[in-house]
Amino acid sequence: MTEPFHPQSGFTWPEGKKFGASFTFDVDAESGALAHDSTFHKRMSLMTHQHYGPTVAVPKLLALLDHHDIKATFFVPGYTADLYPDMVRSLADAGHEIGHHGWMHEKTTALTDAQEAEMLDRGLESLAKVGVTPVGYRAPWWEYNYRTTELLLERGFDYDSSLLDGDVPYRFRSADGAKADLVEVPVDWAMDDWEQFAFYPEWTGSGVIESPRKALEMWSYEGDVAASAGNCWVLTNHPFISGRPTRLAALSDLITHLKSLPGAWITTLAQIAEHTRTAVGDVREHRRIPDPGPQPGQGPDGRPQSPVRDNL
């Protein structure tokens, strides 16, 4: 097969490696649904749908990763750690990285500065109870705020994996004059199992559940291009979604494909972030986009209005 064309990223990977790759898992369990609507705790079928992740899927995923001899990064909300401490310990015991994923998978764009800080601290406290001090953060729903950088730096985090503006990792800080910086390992919605498989009535998803073979084809080709360009390939999965039998089988085939690509470095996000600190000297700044004010078709608050229909 002809090697796909893509401009070279210019990123310097460890000696002998052509591109980086990481399999990551967001262990939302019940927290993702309850953050949307706390009354969902009454819906037994929905709760068992989410319960499948930490109780059935995670042990299978651990067996899969052990079979392929690779390490992954698991992002765990504090609420999940509180409900399933032994599950979190099993991840650590198997040598996988555990990152911070909020406390109740809250959508942080709806929070004040103080509330976001509180959720970060509650998540840290829950992970500390099971012996975990995370160095990485992934914002629930990938909803990272302009204030989040400083909150993470104040708490000793080294990297984030929530932003969507890169093909390779980079270093960034929040504003002029900031001395400390974070590493960003970017993500992409096309590399997330939620868009392919997530569906539950009256909660989430379009109702269109794709074939695992389609996802395997998509993500394998993403790997081919990453290998050709020297990019960073990051897949985001959720155990309650991708731990289901046919999706797990496709995930195994995907790991086999990634491992077959010359120069693959399949590792944790923490390892990629650590390498980035030595490989990248420049530090970007994420500046807040100025408020353009209400535009035509928007209300005084800048939010969309209903279409105006005239009789012309």
Side-chain angles (χ1 to χ4, degrees):
M1 186 178 84
T2 304
E3 184 173 291
F5 169 77
H6 190 285
Q8 292 297 299
S9 69
F11 191 88
T12 302
W13 294 102
E15 185 176 356
K17 304 300 182 183
K18 292 180 60 179
F19 74 105
S22 190
F23 289 84
T24 71
F25 299 89
D26 294 357
V27 194
D28 300 345
E30 291 89 346
S31 69
L34 295 174
H36 178 77
D37 184 337
S38 64
T39 67
F40 281 176
H41 76 278
K42 303 174 183 178
R43 296 177 62 179
M44 184 172 179
S45 290
L46 173 53
M47 291 297 96
T48 62
H49 183 262
Q50 302 307 110
H51 181 72
Y52 181 94
T55 60
V56 179
V58 165
K60 293 194 295 181
L61 289 167
L62 288 176
L64 172 71
L65 295 168
D66 180 65
H67 172 76
H68 287 282
D69 192 26
I70 65 171
K71 300 302 180 186
T73 297
F74 290 80
F75 289 99
V76 180
Y79 187 76
T80 299
D82 288 345
L83 287 181
Y84 305 101
D86 290 341
M87 180 275 297
V88 180
R89 293 187 187 98
S90 73
L91 300 175
D93 290 345
H96 299 292
E97 180 195 2
I98 298 172
H100 191 297
H101 198 40
W103 187 73
M104 180 66 84
H105 203 274
E106 48 282 328
K107 189 168 285 188
T108 58
T109 51
L111 305 181
T112 65
D113 292 12
Q115 288 171 331
E116 183 173 358
E118 180 186 358
M119 294 302 101
L120 282 171
D121 289 338
R122 291 185 73 179
L124 285 170
E125 291 168 5
S126 294
L127 291 175
K129 292 176 186 176
V130 289
V132 173
T133 302
V135 298
Y137 174 72
R138 173 170 284 165
W141 297 103
W142 292 343
E143 287 291 355
Y144 192 98
N145 295 305
Y146 284 101
R147 64 177 174 239
T148 307
T149 303
E150 293 306 316
L151 293 175
L152 295 179
L153 289 170
E154 289 168 3
R155 288 156 179 78
F157 284 90
D158 185 58
Y159 79 86
D160 170 71
S161 185
S162 311
L163 303 180
L164 301 99
D165 60 346
D167 300 319
V168 294
Y170 60 87
R171 295 169 60 184
F172 76 101
R173 57 186 168 225
S174 58
D176 286 328
K179 295 181 180 179
D181 62 89
L182 292 171
V183 170
E184 178 62 32
V185 188
V187 290
D188 178 16
W189 279 108
M191 293 286 289
D192 190 308
D193 65 353
W194 197 277
E195 291 304 295
Q196 304 303 315
F197 306 124
F199 173 69
Y200 201 91
E202 299 175 14
W203 172 38
T204 190
S206 65
V208 178
I209 298 176
E210 300 287 359
S211 164
R213 291 190 177 93
K214 176 204 168 187
L216 173 61
E217 179 183 13
M218 286 176 53
W219 297 335
S220 295
Y221 192 49
E222 292 276 358
D224 295 342
V225 175
S228 176
N231 289 344
C232 188
W233 183 100
V234 178
L235 183 67
T236 300
N237 285 156
H238 300 76
F240 77 90
I241 297 174
S242 286
R244 298 283 176 174
T246 56
R247 299 168 198 165
L248 187 81
L251 195 57
S252 181
D253 291 343
L254 180 62
I255 294 172
T256 298
H257 179 72
L258 264 288
K259 292 180 74 172
S260 74
L261 298 174
W265 184 36
I266 303 175
T267 187
T268 64
L269 293 186
Q271 289 295 310
I272 291 174
E274 182 179 355
H275 170 73
T276 301
R277 286 221 172 263
T278 64
V280 176
D282 294 336
V283 179
R284 301 184 192 178
E285 290 184 354
H286 281 293
R287 299 178 182 272
R288 185 182 293 269
I289 300 300
D291 182 359
Q295 301 297 302
Q298 298 174 349
D301 61 357
R303 299 184 183 278
Q305 289 183 314
S306 300
V308 176
R309 304 186 188 281
D310 57 34
N311 295 317
L312 294 178

